Amino acid sequence: MALSDPGGIIAQPWSVIDRSVTDVLTEVRRIVQDNQVDTIVVGLPVSLSGREGASAAAAREFAIELRKATGVAVVLHDERYSTVAAERVMREGKASARKRRNQRDKVAAAIILSEYLMGRPPGETTGGDR
């Protein structure tokens, strides 16, 4: 997970939730409420050619469940290259292999959120995005 600042400008790595879907929904609902999140951005895993497979279908289903569980808007955003970019950023920052392994998912989430935030029309702010 990643969260933006209240102005919806800067994305920051937040946490990794590695649990059953029910627990994930409960934890995300808590984070949404605690941080006044109004939009959740879910990474959409598509192939390099842009085709969607089983993982993308699962992400779409998860987005529906998140919407139901949290009551906030949920948008899907292409996550191609986010893990590669996260790995590159951490290597450039001289993070150890162990730290990269532990931090990769939340750094990738921050990259996805940052890309989403940069792609919004000028002047459109959404505070507390994930």
Side-chain angles (χ1 to χ4, degrees):
M1 287 187 80
L3 290 175
S4 76
D5 62 295
I9 297 169
I10 300 170
Q12 300 175 357
W14 187 257
S15 67
V16 174
I17 303 171
D18 188 19
R19 302 177 187 165
S20 73
V21 174
T22 303
D23 289 338
V24 169
L25 295 175
T26 300
E27 183 65 8
V28 171
R29 184 173 38 248
R30 183 191 63 75
I31 292 168
V32 164
Q33 292 169 347
D34 290 353
N35 294 281
Q36 301 174 352
V37 172
D38 59 22
T39 304
I40 298 173
V41 179
V42 174
L44 182 63
V46 294
S47 70
L48 295 180
S49 68
R51 292 187 184 174
E52 294 186 18
S55 294
R60 289 185 180 281
E61 292 281 330
F62 183 61
I64 291 167
E65 294 303 315
L66 279 173
R67 172 72 174 106
K68 289 177 188 174
T70 63
V72 300
V74 178
V75 297
L76 294 155
H77 187 79
D78 186 345
E79 69 173 31
R80 279 181 279 188
Y81 304 112
S82 61
T83 302
V84 172
E87 184 72 25
R88 184 179 61 242
V89 166
M90 291 186 296
R91 279 182 191 264
E92 289 172 1
K94 308 284 191 234
S96 68
R98 176 184 228 166
K99 185 170 185 174
R100 288 194 313 265
R101 228 180 358 263
N102 293 335
Q103 304 291 319
R104 184 179 301 120
D105 288 342
K106 65 183 181 180
V107 171
I111 290 169
I112 294 165
L113 178 55
S114 181
E115 289 174 352
Y116 168 78
L117 294 170
M118 287 189 298
R120 290 183 313 187
E124 180 184 323
T125 58
T126 304
D129 289 320
R130 172 187 161 233

